[in-house]
Amino acid sequence: HRDYASVVALVDTVSSDTVLSHEEDMILQFLHSGRHDVDHHPDAHACRLKISFVMLDAPVKLPWVLTAEMAHYIAKLSQVSANCRLSAEEELALLNTCIVDVADPRFRKAPVTIYQVILCKNRRAQLRAEAAGTRACLVETPVRRRS
């Protein structure tokens, strides 16, 4: 049963800055385990990002790659339900922890693509510009390889 709106409402009531109990960690890890298909619905990405946001200060390892999850959310942003959308502040807080440059040493180790990194970088630039009251910002486009 895909009740994304209820998930978002419940997640907004949770916060943690402590280590999760074994049971809590098992539940978190199950949300993105190989035991079931990962939900690729636009609202499912939003739900995982909401969980990521409330867990920002907690010393936990999320079971998904934040940069990849954010890139999926950005790519499907027009299809995310209004009640599941992240606020600009939530997006910026998460984007500030994402890989947004291929020069970031984490890029070599993370299972993310250049396209995903650039999506996150451009979205962060857009949100920063909007926060500053500017309607324009610089964006980067991936270099196309010639075949």
Side-chain angles (χ1 to χ4, degrees):
H1 186 231
R2 296 177 165 185
D3 192 359
Y4 304 113
S6 293
V7 171
V8 169
L10 285 172
V11 168
D12 281 339
T13 66
V14 175
S15 69
S16 178
D17 60 358
T18 62
V19 176
L20 299 178
S21 70
H22 177 71
E23 292 81 11
E24 292 166 334
D25 188 55
M26 293 293 288
I27 292 168
L28 179 64
Q29 299 307 315
F30 184 75
L31 292 175
H32 206 269
S33 73
R35 293 184 182 167
H36 65 283
D37 289 334
V38 175
D39 191 345
H40 295 286
H41 190 281
D43 290 347
H45 295 299
C47 289
R48 286 189 287 273
L49 290 173
K50 285 276 194 178
I51 293 168
S52 301
F53 178 74
V54 300
M55 301 302 284
L56 272 178
D57 294 328
V60 299
K61 180 169 176 11
L62 296 171
W64 48 81
V65 177
L66 184 58
T67 301
E69 199 63 48
M70 181 59 84
H72 291 303
Y73 172 82
I74 294 165
K76 300 173 185 179
L77 191 56
S78 65
Q79 300 163 338
V80 176
S81 301
N83 55 356
C84 292
R85 274 202 162 177
L86 280 70
S87 69
E89 294 79 16
E90 290 169 332
E91 280 190 58
L92 270 172
L94 291 170
L95 285 164
N96 285 333
T97 65
C98 287
I99 300 168
V100 293
D101 193 325
V102 294
D104 185 325
R106 298 176 296 163
F107 175 70
R108 283 181 262 128
K109 299 175 190 172
V112 295
T113 65
I114 293 172
Y115 175 74
Q116 290 173 322
V117 169
I118 291 174
L119 268 179
C120 291
K121 181 178 187 173
N122 290 342
R123 180 66 175 161
R124 186 180 72 170
Q126 177 190 8
L127 291 170
R128 284 179 171 176
E130 289 173 0
T134 309
R135 294 188 55 93
C137 66
L138 293 175
V139 296
E140 185 176 329
T141 56
V143 177
R144 290 187 82 120
R145 294 184 182 169
R146 294 182 185 238
S147 36

